[in-house]
Amino acid sequence: TDELLLLGDVSPSRLEQMQKQLLSSISQAKDVLRRPKDKPLIRGGLAVYVLDSRYDYSEFGRMTEKRELPRDWFGHWQADPLDVYGVLSFEKDIEEEQAQSVMLQVVVGSYFGSFKGVPSWFAEGVARNMVRQNFRRADSRIVKWQQSLPAALQRVQSVKSLQDGSLDEEAAGLVGMGLTSYMLGQRRGFEQLHKHLQDGKSFDEASMLTFGPAEEFLKKMLGRKK
């Protein structure tokens, strides 16, 4: 479709079911983010790999992305202005609301990650907050995220580790969840930052015009001097 390209090693009926669920998540993201219903959420659309087993998902990480994926992940996204994709792998006994929650996370992360210079902590942080807001009672991961946040914050030795991507993705996502929770609470500022990204400004430029220089903002929020 204009919104999605799905590729997978699952049955055609399963792929069709996933397409409907993903389109529902995209529609939900458009509502929350106030994006036009009649235009694709992500320019150029979103490619999603649907994998039949946890083994296939792990192998995708090893062979395609050259990394080990966290054992408790059901899916993830990768995005830059030229290439945006998501990867999903659901065991057969996963509940529908849990699956929908992961899909929303992948869609929102991909969306913000597709803008110029957006760091993964920000895109994933917003995505996890969208999950918290919409699936608080349906996704058991949320409690774990909240319990793990203090330890993740302790792992941030310097702001640079968050900015250059050297902090592991799960910790960066948790820290980003905490940071963007504050940013989303500043509704006017967040909406302006979002608008600047849509207008083609880089994340650093958009941050400068709303929350201040990104590095200084992070130092203040994290209580770090460097």
Side-chain angles (χ1 to χ4, degrees):
T1 71
D2 290 340
E3 295 276 11
L4 282 172
L5 169 64
L6 264 67
L7 303 168
D9 60 354
V10 298
S11 67
S13 61
R14 178 62 168 150
L15 206 60
E16 188 174 321
Q17 178 190 12
M18 297 286 278
Q19 180 191 48
K20 292 177 181 178
Q21 290 176 303
L22 278 162
L23 288 173
S24 176
S25 292
I26 289 172
S27 179
Q28 185 177 14
K30 287 180 178 180
D31 286 340
V32 173
L33 299 170
R34 301 181 181 180
R35 304 306 301 138
K37 283 285 191 181
D38 59 344
K39 295 181 181 179
L41 177 66
I42 298 171
R43 186 177 300 177
L46 173 65
V48 179
Y49 298 94
V50 182
L51 304 176
D52 188 45
S53 69
R54 177 72 206 185
Y55 174 80
D56 289 346
Y57 181 62
S58 297
E59 284 298 292
F60 186 96
R62 294 189 189 101
M63 304 301 291
T64 305
E65 298 180 344
K66 310 302 180 186
R67 63 182 179 135
E68 291 290 331
L69 298 173
R71 296 179 64 85
D72 57 352
W73 281 14
F74 295 108
H76 67 278
W77 57 271
Q78 291 284 343
D80 59 50
L82 296 178
D83 185 24
V84 186
Y85 70 85
V87 189
L88 296 169
S89 176
F90 296 140
E91 302 300 327
K92 293 180 173 58
D93 59 350
I94 188 171
E95 294 184 5
E96 184 173 341
E97 282 194 299
Q98 173 89 72
Q100 204 71 53
S101 170
V102 177
M103 289 183 192
L104 180 64
Q105 182 183 351
V106 167
V107 166
V108 174
S110 297
Y111 170 71
F112 280 103
S114 70
F115 289 114
K116 183 179 177 181
V118 170
S120 60
W121 67 261
F122 177 82
E124 178 66 9
V126 175
R128 292 192 183 206
N129 275 300
M130 294 297 173
V131 169
R132 290 169 72 190
Q133 292 172 12
N134 291 277
F135 293 93
R136 185 170 294 276
R137 297 182 179 179
D139 192 337
S140 60
R141 297 178 305 157
I142 295 172
V143 172
K144 184 177 179 180
W145 289 346
Q146 293 170 332
Q147 292 173 341
S148 302
L149 178 56
L153 288 167
Q154 290 298 317
R155 296 184 62 183
V156 183
Q157 298 299 313
S158 69
V159 165
K160 184 180 180 182
S161 68
L162 199 58
Q163 291 180 301
D164 64 13
S166 60
L167 188 67
D168 75 83
E169 282 189 272
E170 180 62 18
L174 290 169
V175 173
M177 182 182 72
L179 292 168
T180 56
S181 178
Y182 168 81
M183 298 171 83
L184 287 161
Q186 308 299 307
R187 183 172 178 177
R188 181 177 176 82
F190 182 85
E191 289 179 349
Q192 288 178 335
L193 187 150
H194 186 193
K195 180 66 164 57
H196 289 316
L197 292 175
Q198 293 172 50
D199 291 341
K201 289 182 171 58
S202 70
F203 178 79
D204 285 345
E205 291 171 328
S207 178
M208 178 72 76
L209 294 168
T210 50
F211 292 92
E215 184 173 353
E216 295 305 313
F217 170 78
L218 290 173
K219 287 179 180 178
K220 179 180 178 181
M221 292 296 295
L222 296 171
R224 303 291 190 272
K225 294 183 179 180
K226 61 179 183 176

